[in-house]
Amino acid sequence: MDENANSTVETEALQVDPLPDSLSGGATVLVATTGDPSQYAVCLRILCAQGTEEDTAFVVTTTESADRTIAVYDRLGGETGRPSISIVDTVSEQQSVSALYGETHVVFTPSPSDLERLVMALSDLSDSSAPSNGAHHLVIRSLTPILKASSITRVSTVLERITGLRSESGLCLLGIDYTAHDEETMAAIAALVDGVLWVTQPSPARLAFDYQPTRGRHSRSILDGGPDD
């Protein structure tokens, strides 16, 4: 694994509150954090908590390498009871190459801004994945680098295309550093999802969650973290 594997996530030291009961399969969820959502592997934690070993997940990493993603996922999930994953790595140097890391299939693309190759890579992973009786999940660990490199209109179009990879009972988890985007951008992305999972850190060693369904639209009060009117 890469040189950062030992410093990725202090899994044992971090207290993580239970996920809200209202967060269930079949939903597309914006996972909103202050700072890089990959820092505490929030989307991967949700995948481990909500998925089963019969499930599969397509994971797009835009701030950390496939090596690091696999290392963190292994630490979080143990040996059994979690979905198998395939990864699109948009940050490493092995551009436009497909590789097998143990049992994990990885496709490399040049950058988070190359959305057409991202769509193609996800399609390749979907076509090559083994048949499964479980749910299919889609995880983009952080949308922020993609949004910084592409227009909101283009990103929205791509998201509408790739969220179909999620099965009816699967989750689509879209991480985002909401402090890095203006209200207009957040509203445009939030309009595409079923709910926003706000991730807070009441103390340095604790993560807490507040899930707010969007009901097809996203009001300013929800964007501000307040109650829906």
Side-chain angles (χ1 to χ4, degrees):
M1 295 301 167
D2 72 9
E3 65 277 6
N4 296 316
N6 291 329
S7 60
T8 51
V9 179
E10 294 183 0
T11 308
E12 298 81 3
L14 191 65
Q15 176 188 345
V16 181
D17 287 5
L19 291 167
D21 292 337
S22 53
L23 180 62
S24 59
T28 298
V29 179
L30 192 64
V31 181
T33 63
T34 56
D36 181 5
S38 299
Q39 180 180 3
Y40 293 112
V42 181
C43 290
L44 296 183
R45 291 176 185 275
I46 297 170
L47 186 61
C48 288
Q50 298 287 93
T52 72
E53 58 187 329
E54 294 184 343
D55 297 352
T56 58
F58 306 110
V59 177
V60 178
T61 182
T62 58
T63 61
E64 295 183 346
S65 68
D67 269 355
R68 185 164 177 169
T69 298
I70 293 168
V72 173
Y73 193 60
D74 285 346
R75 291 176 64 189
L76 291 173
E79 296 299 323
T80 60
R82 61 189 175 128
S84 61
I85 62 172
S86 299
I87 297 174
V88 178
D89 181 338
T90 69
V91 296
S92 297
E93 295 180 356
Q94 302 98 316
Q95 297 183 359
S96 303
V97 175
S98 180
L100 191 65
Y101 285 63
E103 296 181 354
T104 303
H105 189 190
V106 179
V107 176
F108 297 92
T109 66
S111 72
S113 64
D114 196 333
L115 297 183
E116 283 306 312
R117 290 201 185 184
L118 172 60
V119 172
M120 292 173 59
L122 284 169
S123 178
D124 289 345
L125 289 178
S126 178
D127 291 343
S128 62
S129 63
S132 169
N133 293 325
H136 288 183
H137 309 278
L138 174 65
V139 176
I140 299 181
R141 299 191 64 195
S142 179
L143 277 174
T144 293
I146 296 175
L147 288 167
K148 287 184 175 180
S150 305
S151 70
I152 185 63
T153 301
R154 189 158 178 247
V155 173
S156 298
T157 299
V158 168
L159 287 178
E160 289 175 344
R161 291 170 63 184
I162 65 176
T163 51
L165 293 172
R166 172 185 60 82
S167 64
E168 185 176 351
S169 59
L171 281 168
C172 176
L173 303 172
L174 308 173
I176 193 167
D177 172 7
Y178 72 87
T179 65
H181 306 286
D182 59 27
E183 186 175 309
E184 182 180 359
T185 299
M186 284 293 295
I189 294 298
L192 303 175
V193 304
D194 299 306
V196 178
L197 182 70
W198 298 98
V199 183
T200 59
Q201 200 167 358
S203 67
R206 178 185 166 206
L207 295 181
F209 307 104
D210 178 26
Y211 182 64
Q212 298 186 13
T214 60
R215 296 194 297 278
R217 66 182 182 87
H218 208 261
S219 69
R220 177 168 180 162
S221 62
I222 296 179
L223 279 172
D224 291 338
D228 188 20
D229 296 329

